[in-house]
């Protein structure tokens, strides 16, 4: 008897591991964002759902979820340990170990979904067969909103290059696409189970539901694209000059050549690239990337710093073109990662006016350490931790264009872009443009810059605002309000681009009004459904 139990346990373990690996492989191929492999997303979770439904206990379900979180992180986010090692100098093995140990926390949706599904099945038994799948879908989306995901990744982002499907993001953002993908996976799973028990007629209902959802989403996307095409031709363009100098690893350069010489080289390079842009076209605005001027602007720390500040202002005045660039700002002993907005004076010889946006969403540890855990000991142990303070929050900046008209900019710096609700608060009804300054050089040569660009695409769709994205080393891009990338300077390239920005035309919808509303709504619905089922099951037993 013991031998049979051991053999059965071995088979269950092998089956569970095989299903986890099959789903991981399918999700990895899906994450490559290349047709026709993107279609795997619609069925990728089915092997995992099969073994989760066969779990005999909550513990087994949790293990299946935690296992998928680990393998998913290793396969889809396997580029991150190398980037972390490059930034921190920690051993690569330690970076991998930390990522894998934290995977069940950062990809919390997998273990919690498996557990909730198992509890729902136990509560309803053979009744209300629709409940476990419904709870699973809602829990997955809700927990993703709640979990501390450093890159805010979600499966729905895999449809970023589907011109029609991605338009649904103005309803519920990328999580809305995730919900649709999960629903179709559940329908495919239900089709297989129904076919085994009732034959082809039994599989018809879930098939119709899956096809109907996809058709509705495609139809909505076609409708939104048609709106944009009809109205776009009447819109005038904003002409932006973007500079991507591909100068990276400032700290190493400073150690080798000295701070002043490095800043001097950075500025001279950007002046030369900017002048070539100004010869190419009359620009309304000139834009340099995040922290391109790696010292405080307007509050210099030295006489040399004051001279460089004056030089940048003189450049703006001499070219008579507004300049937006990344720098630092200082106030009350605190230092901020900031975007500087310089506009030429109204009169000849008048100094440019300066406005500042301070980055509010800082990457944990590398840019900012919470006061609760900040200490000299931590700084000594992790010398690469950041010292910036978060800004005060969303704001719209008014910038005078070269022709004198006012441009209303919703500025974002790097990590700000990952937060849909934050961007929605910035992109008020009066904002003309989303502007992102970023430095993705630490992730160069990995999928990281492309993932960051994907977030930017969804923010433009959700708010129905065009976006100019300028980075140190790529990917710089012009994105219209349908998510189309009109201009791009690739990762690891030096280049400039004249970006002709079409004004926004497509009216915004729920994602612009409420930000990431689907996550909390899904979580509340899941708790209500699961709680009702559990309590109802207990009531029947008594």
């Amino acid at each position: 008897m013991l031998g049979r139990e051991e053999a059965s346990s071995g088979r269950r373990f092998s089956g569970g591991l095989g299903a986890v690996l099959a789903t991981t492989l399918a999700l990895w191929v899906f994450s490559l964002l290349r047709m026709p492999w993107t279609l795997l997303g619609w069925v990728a979770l089915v092997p995992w759902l099969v073994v989760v439904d066969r779990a005999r206990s909550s513990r087994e379900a949790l293990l299946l979820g935690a296992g998928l979180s680990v393998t998913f992180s290793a396969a889809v986010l396997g580029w991150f340990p190398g980037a972390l090692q490059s930034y921190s100098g920690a051993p690569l093995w330690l970076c991998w170990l930390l990522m894998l140990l934290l995977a069940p926390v950062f990809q919390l949706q997998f273990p919690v979904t498996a557990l909730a599904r198992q509890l729902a099945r136990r509560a309803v038994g053979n009744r209300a067969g629709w409940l476990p799948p419904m709870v699973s879908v809602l829990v997955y989306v809700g927990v993703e909103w709640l979990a501390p995901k450093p890159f805010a990744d979600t499966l729905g982002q895999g449809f970023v290059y589907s011109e029609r499907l991605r338009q649904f993001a103005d309803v519920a953002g990328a999580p809305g696409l995730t919900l649709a993908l999960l629903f179709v996976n559940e329908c495919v799973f239900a089709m297989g189970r129904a076919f085994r028990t009732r034959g082809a007629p039994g599989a018809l209902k879930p098939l119709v539901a899956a096809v109907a959802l996809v058709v509705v989403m495609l139809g909505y996307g076609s409708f939104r694209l048609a709106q944009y095409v009809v109205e776009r031709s009447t819109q005038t363009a904003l002409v932006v000059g973007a500079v991507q100098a591909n100068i990276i690893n400032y700290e190493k350069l400073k150690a080798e050549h000295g701070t002043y010489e490095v800043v001097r080289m950075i500025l001279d390079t950007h002046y030369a690239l900017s002048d070539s842009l100004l010869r190419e076209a009359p620009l309304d605005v000139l834009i340099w990337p995040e922290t391109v001027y790696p010292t405080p602007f307007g509050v210099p720390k030295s006489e040399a710093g004051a001279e460089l500040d004056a030089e940048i202002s003189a450049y703006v005045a001499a070219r008579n073109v507004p300049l937006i660039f990344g720098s630092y700002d200082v106030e009350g002993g605190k230092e901020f990662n900031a975007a500087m907005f310089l506009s030429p004076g109204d009169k000849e010889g008048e100094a440019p006016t300066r406005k500042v946006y301070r980055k509010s969403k800082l990457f944990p540890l590398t840019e900012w350490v919470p006061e609760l855990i900040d200490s000299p000991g931590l700084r000594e142990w992790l010398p690469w931790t950041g010292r910036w303070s978060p800004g005060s929050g969303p704001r719209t900046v008014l910038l005078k264009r070269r022709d004198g008209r006012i441009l209303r900019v919703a500025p974002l710096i790097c990590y700000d872009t990952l937060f849909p609700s934050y961007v929605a608060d910035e992109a008020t009804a009066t904002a003309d443009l989303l502007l992102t300054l970023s430095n993705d050089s630490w992730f160069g040569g990995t999928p990281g810059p492309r993932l960051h660009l994907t977030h930017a695409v969804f923010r433009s769709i959700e708010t129905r605002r065009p976006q100019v994205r300028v980075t140190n080393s790529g990917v710089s891009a012009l994105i219209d309000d349908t998510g189309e990338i009109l201009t791009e300077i690739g990762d690891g390239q030096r280049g400039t681009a004249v970006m002709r920005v079409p004004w926004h035309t497509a009216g915004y919808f729920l994602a612009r009004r409420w930000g990431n509303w689907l996550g909390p709504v899904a979580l509340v619905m899941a708790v209500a459904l699961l709680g009702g089922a559990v309590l109802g099951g207990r009531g029947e037993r008594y």
Side-chain angles (χ1 to χ4, degrees):
M1 181 67 71
L2 185 59
R4 291 181 180 179
E5 290 180 359
E6 289 177 348
S8 176
S9 298
R11 286 193 296 272
R12 292 183 65 78
F13 176 80
S14 299
L17 179 61
V20 167
L21 293 178
T23 288
T24 300
L25 177 62
L27 290 176
W28 173 73
V29 174
F30 173 65
S31 73
L32 298 178
L33 308 182
R34 300 189 188 116
M35 284 293 289
W37 304 113
T38 307
L39 297 176
L40 274 176
W42 298 115
V43 299
L45 290 164
V46 172
W48 182 69
L49 292 174
V50 170
V51 294
V52 170
D53 259 17
R54 293 175 181 171
R56 294 177 177 176
S57 65
S58 298
R59 178 176 176 272
E60 185 178 343
L62 276 172
L63 286 174
L64 288 167
L68 182 56
S69 70
V70 171
T71 56
F72 174 86
S73 297
V76 178
L77 300 174
W79 51 269
F80 179 63
L84 181 60
Q85 190 272 337
S86 176
Y87 184 88
S88 67
L92 183 60
W93 68 266
L94 179 60
C95 297
W96 267 102
L97 180 62
L98 285 173
M99 187 186 78
L100 296 180
L101 287 175
L102 291 172
V105 176
F106 292 154
Q107 301 297 334
L108 187 63
Q109 71 277 9
F110 292 124
V112 176
T113 297
L115 176 61
R117 188 182 189 89
Q118 208 271 345
L119 293 176
R121 288 182 61 251
R122 185 187 302 171
V124 299
N126 295 323
R127 304 170 291 104
W130 58 270
L131 185 65
M134 180 67 72
V135 167
S136 296
V137 170
L138 293 173
V139 164
Y140 189 106
V141 174
V143 171
E144 277 204 319
W145 167 77
L146 188 65
K149 295 169 74 74
F151 302 110
D153 53 285
T154 187
L155 297 178
Q157 292 165 342
F159 297 116
V160 64
Y161 296 122
S162 173
E163 186 181 32
R164 289 188 291 173
L165 284 176
R166 70 178 182 235
Q167 303 310 315
F168 190 71
D170 75 350
V171 178
L177 291 171
T178 299
L179 187 144
L181 180 145
L182 296 171
F183 179 83
V184 172
N185 271 270
E186 292 285 3
C187 288
V188 173
F189 175 47
M191 286 168 54
R193 186 171 54 190
F195 186 81
R196 288 194 305 272
T197 57
R198 290 175 286 167
L204 185 61
K205 187 180 293 185
L207 174 63
V208 170
V211 171
L213 176 62
V214 175
V215 168
V216 167
M217 292 175 66
L218 291 171
Y220 179 81
S222 297
F223 168 71
R224 287 304 248 166
L225 288 170
Q227 277 188 317
Y228 183 79
V229 169
V230 168
E231 300 175 10
R232 181 182 187 182
S233 60
T234 63
Q235 304 304 310
T236 58
L238 170 75
V239 184
V240 172
V243 176
Q244 179 177 301
N246 198 30
I247 302 174
I248 63 175
N249 208 338
Y250 285 1
E251 296 306 315
K252 180 180 178 182
L253 291 173
K254 289 177 183 178
E256 293 175 350
H257 304 288
T259 300
Y260 181 84
E261 287 72 16
V262 171
V263 176
R264 177 78 273 160
M265 179 267 291
I266 292 169
L267 288 179
D268 288 343
T269 302
H270 282 79
Y271 292 149
L273 292 172
S274 299
D275 283 340
S276 69
L277 275 173
L278 290 165
R279 289 191 294 269
E280 184 178 345
L283 303 178
D284 293 309
V285 183
L286 182 63
I287 305 177
W288 299 347
E290 178 190 12
T291 60
V292 67
Y293 185 56
T295 187
F297 179 86
V299 281
K301 295 182 177 180
S302 65
E303 185 176 333
E307 291 174 358
L308 292 173
D309 286 4
E311 183 181 291
I312 296 173
S313 295
Y315 182 88
V316 170
R319 272 63 172 183
N320 191 35
V321 61
L323 173 65
I324 306 172
F325 65 98
S327 183
Y328 307 160
D329 196 27
V330 176
E331 183 180 17
K334 296 181 179 180
E335 192 164 84
F336 304 87
N337 185 344
M340 299 293 167
F341 292 72
L342 295 186
S343 296
D346 293 327
K347 301 176 182 177
E348 186 175 349
E350 189 175 34
T353 59
R354 178 177 74 109
K355 295 182 180 179
V356 182
Y357 165 78
R358 295 168 174 172
K359 182 178 181 179
S360 295
K361 301 294 185 179
L362 301 174
F363 199 86
L365 295 183
T366 60
E367 293 186 320
W368 161 77
V369 178
E371 292 184 7
L372 185 64
I373 63 172
D374 197 0
S375 68
L378 177 70
R379 298 286 183 178
E380 184 178 355
W381 183 46
L382 303 174
W384 44 266
T385 48
R387 299 180 181 275
W388 279 326
S389 297
S392 58
R395 60 171 300 200
T396 300
V397 177
L398 305 184
L399 180 73
K400 189 178 70 171
R401 295 169 37 160
R402 192 174 193 177
D403 60 8
R405 288 184 291 171
I406 298 299
L407 176 67
R408 296 172 174 83
V409 180
L412 303 162
I413 300 178
C414 196
Y415 204 51
D416 289 339
T417 321
L418 272 64
F419 298 88
S421 296
Y422 183 88
V423 178
D425 287 342
E426 277 216 348
T428 61
T430 59
D432 300 312
L433 177 74
L434 297 181
L435 171 66
T436 299
L437 306 185
S438 191
N439 179 4
D440 294 341
S441 60
W442 291 107
F443 305 115
T446 76
R450 190 62 57 176
L451 175 59
H452 207 173
L453 176 65
T454 294
H455 278 287
V457 167
F458 277 102
R459 300 301 88 82
S460 280
I461 299 169
E462 291 158 5
T463 61
R464 292 300 179 185
R465 293 293 182 269
Q467 182 175 176
V468 170
R469 185 172 192 270
V470 182
T471 72
N472 296 57
S473 59
V475 179
S476 298
L478 168 62
I479 307 164
D480 73 15
D481 56 12
T482 71
E484 187 72 19
I485 299 174
L486 305 178
T487 306
E488 179 178 320
I489 308 174
D491 184 25
Q493 298 178 15
R494 172 174 291 188
T496 61
V498 175
M499 299 180 175
R500 302 183 185 277
V501 184
W503 288 126
H504 59 270
T505 53
Y508 56 79
F509 200 31
L510 298 182
R512 161 61 188 86
R513 295 178 185 273
W514 299 336
N516 187 7
W517 62 270
L518 181 60
V521 169
L523 192 58
V524 169
M525 291 178 63
V527 170
L529 286 173
L530 185 57
V534 171
L535 292 175
R538 287 179 179 175
E540 289 185 5
R541 286 195 292 271
Y542 290 104

